[in-house]
């Protein structure tokens, strides 16, 4: 995790330069220069997935892998029940999330945390609220096996995929170098590749960053200024305006148990380090206007309320109502062009395909 | 329901003209002429929805209504839980069905019957296995309110739709003549219009019907001949090769309780007429190779086995293994071009949107 001292320093910065927060922010060139030091626009395309523990060489995005990944992403037969797909909780029509406080999975079980958006997730430092998966390939393996999500096993998944000539052909075409292309690892890679195409460039904020002074209106610019000057950017920066590192939830004051349930200690469950208690990956704020409800608990439906909670628990300063409105207006500019996806026509099952087992 | 005597007559026909079944069938022109008397190809496009009790004037398909219907079809927020959409049980990637014996709905409840495909359903005489909805608009109202499916109410649906400016604008544009366009009836009409675009023209059988002698191979042609000559066409005829009328399940012999559970008396539940006990709408066989498992009970996974059950329970003749294989080969030619659908980007919820209530 990053030291909360950074937040403190920036919160202090606000007090030290109040004039900048109120005036200088509205000069577009200055605002852009300040923002460019903290953020990057979403690129138009991801050409390759970055190096990671799983992919030490990184790997190039190919149309064949993306196509396969799209089918896998939308196919409910990847779950034990035959009912739940990646799309169930990462709905391509709902900003890549499910709009539920916490997801519903196998047997109508309630999951422990709010489903993070799949959109732009390729830009996050790691996946899940606690960062326990280093990349999207490892991420994809989690929900598939989780008892409260898709409740499948790698063995049953591979038996399912190998039973369908349509999938066999797609794996062969996507992984031509592999002698046995239908593997759990290749399943995960293909899903990762498809998800890496789920990016949302050219939101108003991106257009502003790229040089269009008029892409954001005055209120949105004031919101960006306030977002930087009040210390929000200590945790929410980079291309995803968050998602780039870990921070304690409640740097200044812990929010109530409805928002921060005591039972979920966050990254501590991954690292078993006391310093990581109630530490979470900073929420990436791209398309945040589309992905209510908020926080890992999914307890807050209103973006304004979410900003107020962040203000008191993270930066320890009560934002004025105008500042909150301005910041919410700025956050709305993080909504980018949503991906247009043709729903896949899924491969045909055969008599060898394991039957769905919803009960 | 149609009299089972028709089946008997055709079964008799087979015995009377055995030569025709074995030889004449393979002359393409004769085969096409015989088939054209019983079937029609799927049209390339549906221009208007036919007259019905609900739409006495019929109504024209418009791009605005289809677009709205597509969003409604894919939007899980139309259900009380926020988890289940039309697409859940009528998956556009799985031949318009869900691949489950019977569907899973709200609270993971098991539905009573196998989900019929939404594809080409506009051509059916009426909707549901028992025909209780005269058209797709009335059909759409059923699952939305069913406790075991989407478990919503018209009031909560309308409150949901009216809370989202995106939906309000789409309804206004789709129903410009209505003072209050966001209504349950217009919701149903829009879903009906979208579903009327889910048609699958140009399967091998359609191409053959339209004049291409080589669209079907010899085995498929033998299957078509056998399908007509053994009496299958008594119940399965018309554009959907079924779906056009009601017949008793078990004309000759009732199948076992696993396939025909005693508790589901079919159309009797609609008409309360004793003659309608265990009467069902003949299953439309378009894309039947894509929509296992089979029958209203969803008890049979193998198409070959389904044909064998039909043969003993409906036409009272034991087809030879070769005939069964030929008929299955013919049924495979009923798989048409699947619809290409761009997944909709769904309207943004607001603070006024009723929250999902999965529990």
């Amino acid at each position: 995790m990053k030291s909360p001292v950074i937040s403190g320093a920036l919160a202090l910065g606000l007090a030290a330069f109040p004039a900048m927060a109120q005036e200088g922010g509205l000069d577009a060139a200055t605002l852009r220069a300040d923002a460019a030091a903290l953020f990057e626009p979403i690129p138009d395309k991801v050409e390759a997935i970055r190096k990671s523990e799983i992919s030490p060489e990184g790997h190039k995005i190919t149309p064949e892998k993306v196509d396969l990944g799209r089918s896998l992403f939308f196919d409910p037969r990847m779950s034990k029940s035959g009912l739940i797909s990646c799309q169930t909780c990462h709905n391509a029509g709902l900003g890549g999330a499910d709009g539920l406080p916490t997801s519903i999975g196998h047997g109508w079980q309630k999951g422990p945390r709010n489903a993070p958006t799949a959109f732009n997730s390729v830009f996050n430092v790691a996946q899940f609220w606690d960062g326990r998966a280093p990349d999207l390939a490892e991420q994809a393996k989690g929900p598939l096996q989780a008892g409260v999500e898709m409740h499948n096993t790698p063995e049953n998944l591979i038996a399912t995929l190998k039973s369908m000539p349509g999938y066999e052909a797609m794996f062969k075409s996507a992984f031509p170098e592999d002698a046995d292309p239908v593997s759990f690892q290749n399943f995960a890679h293909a899903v990762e590749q498809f998800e890496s195409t789920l990016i949302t460039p050219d939101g108003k904020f991106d257009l502003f960053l790229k040089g269009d002074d008029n892409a954001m209106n005055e209120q949105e610019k004031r919101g960006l200024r306030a977002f930087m000057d009040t210390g929000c950017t200590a945790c929410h920066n980079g291309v995803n305006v968050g998602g780039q590192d870990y921070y304690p939830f409640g740097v200044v004051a812990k929010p109530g148990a409805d928002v921060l349930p005591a039972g979920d200690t966050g990254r501590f469950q991954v690292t078993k380090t006391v310093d990581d208690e109630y530490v979470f990956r900073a929420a990436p704020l791209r398309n945040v206007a589309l992905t209510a409800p908020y926080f890992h608990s999914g307890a807050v439906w209103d973006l304004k309320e979410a900003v107020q909670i962040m203000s008191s628990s993270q930066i320890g300063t009560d934002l004025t109502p105008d500042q909150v409105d301005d910041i919410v207006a700025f956050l709305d500019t993080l909504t980018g062009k949503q991906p247009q996806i043709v729903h896949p026509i899924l491969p045909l099952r055969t008599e060898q395909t394991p039957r769905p087992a919803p009960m």
Side-chain angles (χ1 to χ4, degrees), chain A residues 192-333:
Chain A
E192 173 180 47
Q193 290 237 345
F194 171 65
E195 291 183 330
S196 301
T197 68
L198 301 179
I199 61 174
T200 65
D202 291 339
K204 288 182 188 177
F205 179 55
D206 298 286
L207 300 178
F208 176 77
L209 278 180
K210 289 195 263 185
D212 180 353
D213 285 356
N214 299 317
M216 290 168 68
N217 67 25
E218 288 306 299
Q219 185 183 26
E220 291 157 354
K221 286 175 186 165
R222 283 199 309 271
L224 168 57
R225 186 82 262 169
F227 191 81
M228 295 191 291
D229 291 348
T230 60
C232 307
T233 48
C235 299
H236 297 282
N237 58 53
V239 62
N240 267 355
V241 192
Q244 84 293 346
D245 212 332
Y246 307 93
Y247 305 92
F249 194 176
V251 171
V252 176
K254 291 265 176 278
D258 49 335
V259 173
L260 182 63
D264 187 349
T265 50
R267 195 157 166 77
F268 173 76
Q269 291 161 236
V270 180
T271 63
K272 308 291 177 198
T273 304
V274 176
D275 269 3
D276 281 340
E277 276 191 352
Y278 303 106
V279 163
F280 293 88
R281 193 191 61 185
L285 299 182
R286 290 288 183 176
N287 303 294
V288 68
L290 310 183
T291 60
Y294 301 111
F295 301 124
H296 66 286
S297 53
V300 174
W301 285 87
D302 182 18
L303 188 50
K304 198 170 178 172
E305 192 187 338
V307 170
Q308 284 161 337
I309 290 172
M310 285 283 98
S311 131
S312 57
S313 67
Q314 300 301 103
I315 61 178
T317 187
D318 275 333
L319 299 171
T320 66
D322 281 353
Q323 278 179 314
V324 170
D325 287 343
D326 291 351
I327 287 175
V328 169
F330 161 63
L331 294 176
D332 279 346
T333 71

Side-chain angles (χ1 to χ4, degrees), chain A residues 75-85 106 150 355-358:
Chain A
D75 197 335
R77 298 170 303 182
M78 301 302 101
S79 64
K80 187 182 177 194
S81 66
L83 193 65
I84 298 176
S85 64
H106 188 88
M150 296 168 78
R355 296 186 184 165

